[in-house]
Amino acid sequence: LLPPPDGTRGCAADRRKKKDLDVPEMPSIPNPFPELCCSPFTSVLSADLFPKANSRKKQVIKVYSEDETSRALDVPSDITARDVCQLLILKNHYIDDHSWTLFEHLPHIGVERTIEDHELVIEVLSNWGIEEENKLYFRKNYAKYEFFKNPMYFFPEHMVSFATETNGEISPTQILQMFLSSSTYPEIHGFLHAKEQGKKSWKKIYFFLRRSGLYFSTKGTSKEPRHLQFFSEFGNSDIYVSLAGKKKHGAPTNYGFCFKPNKAGGPRDLKMLCAEEEQSRTCWVTAIRLLKYGMQLYQNYMHPYQGRSGCSSQSISPMRSISENSLVAMDFSGQKSRVIENPTEALSVAVEEGLAWRKKGCLRLGTHGSPTASSQSSATNMAIHRSQPWFHHKISRDEAQRLIIQQGLVDGVFLVRDSQSNPKTFVLSMSHGQKIKHFQIIPVEDDGEMFHTLDDGHTRFTDLIQLVEFYQLNKGVLPCKLKHYCARIAL
């Protein structure tokens, strides 16, 4: 038998297709349970039925600024404190000078601490109690890694000793290297006030800080093993700074700090201590941070953009703020500008510039010789500073000190405020040598015009902006140049 010709097969196929088209088709309905339509040889409870574990689950966190404004962020579970800071910097278009920091604030016990850049934020939040009103704060902390730059301010000679004999003097840089070393370490010692467990009283005891923990002597200043008693370890505890130790816990001074277990706990679980001065407290807290985290802190300082979660971009070039290291003396008197490399010549140029500032009336708004315009310009100059981020209007001396301490006792941290004792004057509050100093800015009148001065009229400025800009470039009568201003930022 021969096969039918091609035309016959085509006609038969067309007739079948036509017949199929005459039958109304039901619309296809997707199967809502495809996983149940499996072969009898496949187990119904297969792995596909269970949700896959997501290693990057997201969670909403709330971050506050100093003016109590807040911002909610949807972040992955493995986000670090540095990543959160980087996220807020990018969202708010801030300049990143590596000083932005995340703080853990516990208001019910009146303490807070710096969350280290490498710490996982979600882990920190998991240690909070359900009923606690704890907060995350985002602000600048210029002293976060200052001990790597200027270790001489952090480890006073009378508080440091060494377990082994040393030949000659040990520099602060060598002390820092010992902290980072796993074999040797310096011993921090000194008197501290300790709150007795379960009591309101405080007792002055001699303490020793070693790599294994914090110890105190039961007999004066003796450090013989039989006289030493263990006080606290810091492997499973965090170090917090007390914000109002006198008022909240009846401490002898306001320079308190405490150990708190990582897991949630109340005031009874705290081991509270109190130093005699800010420099002593800074030394203890810095040494404990170094012993606890070691080289990790140094890596955070050297590589600030190495985040875990990927929220911080490696491709983003860091934007640095103007610092003393990035300023050079320049000469623009000739046809071409040049860098003044001779320190003596640079100093003489600075003196000449200062004299020029004294001699020039240098008003920001021209007066054109009109008495009315002159008075209006003077009034404007007297109030132009109110829009500046370093001006804090009517805050008290204590509030100014609290703001500077919060943002770090680094040389040159400053703010300007109204004077409480004299309504017509202003006060420049600044940090130098781990201490806060206050300088009165006095108004002086000359030929009917008002000027501001810090040095009894030798150097005069038409407004506070001019004064601040001058002392950012010139030390003058101040102990150091103005470097970082304290500002209350909003999120």
Side-chain angles (χ1 to χ4, degrees), residues 103-113 134-135 239-245 248-249 256-260 270 272:
F103 287 85
E104 180 187 8
H105 181 72
L106 313 180
H108 63 293
I109 50 180
V111 297
E112 74 173 16
R113 75 175 180 100
N134 302 338
K135 292 180 179 179
I239 182 80
Y240 290 79
V241 171
S242 180
L243 300 176
K248 199 92 175 175
H249 305 285
F257 61 99
C258 67
F259 290 94
K260 179 182 174 295
L270 297 180
M272 307 207 68

Side-chain angles (χ1 to χ4, degrees), residues 304-332:
Y305 292 97
Q306 286 187 355
R308 275 183 70 168
S309 68
C311 288
S312 60
S313 174
Q314 296 286 343
S315 61
I316 298 172
S317 59
M319 296 178 67
R320 297 183 182 274
S321 63
I322 295 175
S323 67
E324 191 173 353
N325 296 329
S326 62
L327 295 174
V328 294
M330 298 286 294
D331 178 16
F332 296 98

